């Protein structure tokens, strides 16, 4: 079978007017990186794609450079006021005899769709991914018009794949006074056959503001809830203050410990580590390690937070209970709650801080020390467990 040089032409020159916002949608972050970067990375990852050219809007160079970083791409092409003009400008820059034209606004591009499109080009001038229509569709306007039988309709996606020369011919022959929202209609108008292949729900275009949330949900693997519990104790010693929940609390005693002995944060560290099954505070910060002598415990908590994040986790809620006869926790509760929320980069509504005595019973009742319990609820990707 003859081999072909296949170019991908990513059109990213739009202004995203239907979404608005301070930067065009293709440069905004979804699922951890710019929309455009997702699309480009999917094409970079496909072995059949020999060249990727991105078409950007005039003045979008800095946004493009930030989104693409050091990915190995040729210089971008400047697009036009209309999508078809952007495609035409891009066609002048590509070198492949086959081309896939893709909306940057469709970030998630399954390799299986690329496979199907390339296969279809073996026997057709063009090929596009389509999906069936689920809703009843009717002619709109000032009054409801006739229903259009959905069996006669498909939802058209991109990439749209073509023999490059035929697409160039179709653009050249197109009546510039007419709009063309995609390339397939231009190729069909030039009387070339355009095949249809199965599209994908992952290929949905980001068009309106709510589409970003839908895209995040489409991309994020199923998240499952995990709960962890932590417990810690520190004895009192001489001093004039102690640290609780990242807050300095004046008191007639201090708490003894290798670090700053913040018993509340230590319990919370163990609770977070418990949600991802990653040991405990002692395994991460051994009391035998001189680096942690007198250390502020907030760094232990942010480390546990980062481990949860690196595991793809999202902290939903934490609940800390401080157990002691003194000091009184109530006056410090707002500050402790705010500090824990700040350290975990969550809202205060996601942080509960409670306190209790043991009715003079046990070591806490005798004023020998302070205990703390913590529970953390985190959502983590199911695949990772
Ligand atoms: N003059 C244009 C218009 C659109 N596009 C690109 O074509 C794709 C699909 O177009 P659309 O979703 O309509 O993007 P925008 O035109 O930016 O959106 P809007 O219509 O809301 O302004 C997008 O990746 C967009 O960047 C382009 O390259 N050049
Ligand atoms: C090209 C396209 O994405 C195929 O569905 C669609 O036509 C783009 O339309 P828009 O008006 O530019 O969003």
């Amino acid at each position: 079978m003859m081999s072909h040089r296949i170019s991908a032409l990513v059109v990213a020159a739009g202004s995203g007017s239907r979404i608005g916002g301070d930067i065009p949608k293709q440069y905004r972050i979804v699922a951890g990186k710019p929309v455009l970067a997702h699309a480009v990375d999917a094409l970079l990852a496909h072995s059949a794609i020999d060249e990727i050219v991105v078409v950007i809007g005039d003045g979008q160079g800095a946004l493009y450079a930030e989104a693409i970083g050091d990915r190995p791409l040729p210089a971008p092409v400047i697009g036009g006021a209309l999508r078809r003009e952007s495609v035409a400008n891009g066609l002048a820059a590509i070198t492949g005899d086959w081309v896939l034209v893709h909306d940057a606004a469709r970030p998630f591009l399954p390799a299986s769709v690329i496979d199907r499109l390339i296969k279809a080009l073996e026997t057709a001038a063009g090929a596009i991914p389509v999906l069936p229509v689920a809703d009843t569709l009717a002619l709109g306007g000032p009054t409801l018009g006739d229903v259009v039988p959905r069996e006669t309709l498909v939802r058209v996606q991109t990439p749209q794949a073509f023999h490059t020369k035929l697409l160039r011919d179709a653009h050249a022959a197109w009546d510039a006074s007419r709009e063309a929202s995609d390339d397939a209609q231009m190729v069909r108008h030039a009387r070339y056959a355009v095949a249809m292949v199965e599209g994908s729900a992952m290929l949905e275009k980001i068009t309106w503001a709510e589409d970003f949330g839908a895209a995040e949900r489409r991309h994020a693997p199923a998240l499952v809830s995990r709960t962890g519990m932590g417990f810690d104790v520190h004895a009192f010693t001489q001093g004039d203050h102690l640290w609780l929940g990242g807050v300095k609390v004046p008191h007639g005693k201090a708490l003894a410990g290798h670090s700053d002995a913040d018993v509340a944060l230590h319990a919370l560290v163990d609770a977070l580590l418990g949600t991802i099954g990653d040991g405990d505070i002692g395994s991460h910060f051994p009391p035998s390690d001189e680096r942690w002598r007198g250390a502020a415990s907030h760094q232990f908590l942010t480390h546990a937070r980062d481990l949860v994040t690196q595991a793809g986790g999202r902290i939903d809620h934490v609940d800390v209970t401080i157990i002691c006869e003194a000091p009184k926790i109530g006056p410090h509760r707002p500050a402790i709650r705010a500090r824990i929320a700040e350290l975990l980069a969550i809202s205060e509504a996601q942080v509960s801080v409670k306190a209790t005595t043991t009715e003079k019973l046990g070591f806490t009742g005798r004023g020998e020390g302070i205990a703390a319990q913590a529970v953390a609820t985190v959502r983590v990707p199911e695949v990772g467990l």
Side-chain angles (χ1 to χ4, degrees):
M1 182 184 71
M2 178 183 171
S3 68
H4 295 273
R5 177 174 172 77
I6 302 177
S7 298
L9 187 55
V10 181
V11 284
S15 60
S17 59
R18 283 172 284 184
I19 280 188
D22 53 357
I23 62 171
K25 61 191 178 184
Q26 60 270 29
Y27 300 108
R28 284 172 52 180
I29 302 297
V30 68
K33 61 184 176 182
V35 169
L36 170 61
H38 280 286
V40 167
D41 286 346
L43 292 161
L44 282 171
H46 199 287
S47 60
I49 303 297
D50 299 304
E51 171 189 51
I52 301 170
V53 171
V54 179
V55 184
I56 66 174
D58 196 12
Q60 292 179 356
L63 289 169
Y64 169 83
E66 185 177 357
I68 294 299
D70 58 2
R71 291 173 176 86
L73 299 186
V77 169
I78 300 302
L82 301 174
R83 183 183 181 283
R84 62 177 174 77
E85 293 170 338
S86 297
V87 173
N89 292 0
L91 285 174
I94 63 163
T95 59
D97 61 310
W98 285 1
V99 59
L100 275 63
V101 181
H102 185 54
D103 293 336
R106 297 177 190 271
F108 308 130
L109 168 48
S112 57
V113 174
I114 297 173
D115 294 339
R116 291 195 284 270
L117 290 167
I118 292 172
K119 179 67 177 171
L121 286 186
E122 292 172 8
T123 53
I128 62 172
V130 299
L131 288 179
V133 171
D135 301 320
T136 292
L137 297 183
L139 296 175
T143 58
L144 181 63
D146 293 341
V147 167
V148 178
R150 62 180 150 214
E151 300 73 28
T152 67
L153 297 170
V154 289
R155 292 174 54 231
V156 173
Q157 299 179 316
T158 73
Q160 299 192 353
F162 305 95
H163 295 196
T164 306
K165 181 182 181 312
L166 303 184
L167 181 57
R168 287 181 176 136
D169 292 349
H171 271 261
W174 186 258
D175 172 358
S177 66
R178 291 180 58 199
E179 178 48 358
S181 61
D182 80 341
D183 296 282
Q185 62 190 273
M186 300 166 75
V187 171
R188 285 194 61 258
H189 186 265
R191 302 198 185 289
Y192 295 119
V194 177
M196 291 181 284
V197 302
E198 181 186 353
S200 168
M202 289 300 289
L203 268 174
E204 289 303 306
K205 183 160 66 73
I206 294 176
T207 304
W208 291 280
E210 60 271 21
D211 294 339
F212 270 100
E216 285 276 3
R217 289 188 293 277
R218 260 200 312 279
H219 180 272
L223 296 179
V224 292
S225 182
R226 289 288 182 272
T227 299
M229 197 279 277
F231 178 77
D232 193 26
V233 172
H234 280 278
F236 282 123
T237 186
Q238 286 186 345
D240 60 8
H241 72 277
L242 45 86
W243 287 89
L244 279 178
V247 172
K248 185 174 181 180
V249 175
H251 187 52
K253 299 175 185 173
L255 285 174
H258 185 60
S259 65
D260 66 2
D262 188 327
V263 64
L265 291 192
H266 292 182
L268 189 48
V269 168
D270 275 359
L272 284 173
L273 293 174
T275 65
I276 54 175
D278 189 356
D280 56 37
I281 191 170
S283 58
H284 288 267
F285 303 99
S288 58
D289 187 330
E290 276 307 300
R291 284 180 297 169
W292 313 122
R293 180 174 299 286
S297 296
H298 61 70
Q299 61 194 304
F300 306 155
L301 188 62
T302 54
H303 177 72
R305 173 204 68 194
D306 293 345
L307 290 176
V308 169
T309 304
Q310 287 159 21
R314 302 180 192 178
I315 300 172
D316 271 347
H317 190 266
V318 297
D319 182 12
V320 179
T321 301
I322 300 169
I323 305 162
C324 61
E325 299 296 328
K328 289 302 175 196
I329 302 304
H332 306 285
R333 190 203 314 264
I336 293 172
R337 189 180 191 191
R339 181 62 173 146
I340 289 174
E342 178 192 17
L343 290 170
L344 295 181
I346 57 179
S347 70
E348 289 189 31
Q350 294 170 275
V351 178
S352 163
V353 175
K354 307 195 298 289
T356 185
T357 69
T358 53
E359 298 297 322
K360 304 293 186 189
L361 298 176
F363 69 89
T364 52
R366 294 189 297 272
E368 295 170 6
I370 297 181
Q373 296 178 337
V375 174
T377 306
V378 168
R379 275 177 295 147
V380 295
E382 194 167 26
V383 294
L385 297 175

